[in-house]
Amino acid sequence: MATRTDAPTRREQILKEAARLFAERGFHGVGVDEIGAAVGISGPGLYRHFAGKDAMLAELLVGISESLLTGAKRRLAEADGAGGVAPGAVLDSLIEGHIDFALDDRPLITLHDRELDRLRDADRKLVRQLQRQYVELWVGVVRRLYPDLAEPAARSAVHSVFGLLNSTPHLTRPGSLPDRAGTAELLHRMARGAFAAAGA
């Protein structure tokens, strides 16, 4: 996700703390009073910002899917605007964007894995639709870099790389990862290696 320089809004603070608490204790293990306490307001005060916990969960999961797709489209547009950027450089840019998400928004990965089925049907379908669009952007770039790679294989490779990058919530033991820059570099090399292996 893009780095912000302005202070987060109250709504953003609530969502950040809700994501952390939901990831730590599960959606049903957290009450609105606990979320409110985490941001310094009463539980009932949350209802000035959200209709309830369900609305928070939906905004978190739909929001991150929208953010990933928007970021990928922006990166592709910047490459097109630069005129003839090599497909490898475009893929590197996509990988970097997803690594930023995987390292900076780990609670959302956990939430998606555990709580997606708790969304209303319409919200869950929207998340899936956004995710499919995101995957297809990657598939197009991968196939430009590896033109002999069939579309189903490219799609499988993209999903596999997402699985690799999204494993970061499981790597939280002290000393299990290098510093952020080292972790990002390691994940990037592994992702490119996976695509190279698929395209060989």
Side-chain angles (χ1 to χ4, degrees):
M1 296 178 70
T3 301
R4 293 178 58 99
T5 55
D6 51 333
T9 65
R10 174 65 73 174
R11 188 179 181 87
E12 289 167 337
Q13 291 172 343
I14 292 168
L15 286 172
K16 180 178 180 180
E17 290 304 315
R20 179 182 65 80
L21 290 167
F22 291 159
E24 287 176 359
R25 296 185 226 163
F27 180 73
H28 287 305
V30 179
V32 292
D33 289 338
E34 293 170 275
I35 299 170
V39 295
I41 61 177
S42 67
L46 289 178
Y47 293 108
R48 290 196 298 272
H49 302 277
F50 296 96
K53 288 198 313 177
D54 290 339
M56 291 180 213
L57 182 64
E59 185 155 334
L60 285 164
L61 294 182
V62 172
I64 192 56
S65 297
E66 289 175 336
S67 179
L68 285 168
L69 178 59
T70 299
K73 286 180 175 179
R74 176 181 50 77
R75 289 168 184 271
L76 291 179
E78 288 171 354
D80 288 342
V85 175
V90 179
L91 182 58
D92 284 334
S93 180
L94 289 177
I95 292 171
E96 287 164 8
H98 199 98
I99 287 173
D100 284 343
F101 157 66
L103 293 178
D104 298 337
D105 293 298
R106 295 185 206 185
L108 292 177
I109 297 173
T110 301
L111 269 189
H112 180 275
D113 289 346
R114 293 182 187 167
E115 312 290 357
L116 181 64
D117 288 343
R118 299 193 190 284
L119 292 181
R120 295 179 309 160
D121 286 346
D123 290 326
R124 187 168 59 253
K125 287 177 182 176
L126 177 56
V127 169
R128 293 299 194 196
Q129 178 186 30
L130 293 165
Q131 290 173 339
R132 282 193 295 272
Q133 293 177 49
Y134 183 59
V135 167
E136 294 311 307
L137 288 179
W138 282 66
V139 169
V141 173
V142 169
R143 293 195 72 209
R144 284 199 294 276
L145 185 58
Y146 301 104
D148 294 334
L149 188 62
E151 186 173 306
R155 191 170 293 109
S156 293
V158 169
H159 281 292
S160 297
V161 167
F162 288 172
L164 164 70
L165 299 180
N166 292 347
S167 69
T168 54
H170 308 292
L171 306 174
T172 56
R173 291 194 323 274
S176 62
L177 290 172
D179 62 18
R180 190 191 188 288
T183 300
E185 195 274 334
L186 174 63
L187 289 171
H188 198 123
R189 282 192 289 112
M190 293 174 71
R192 282 304 301 264
F195 285 126

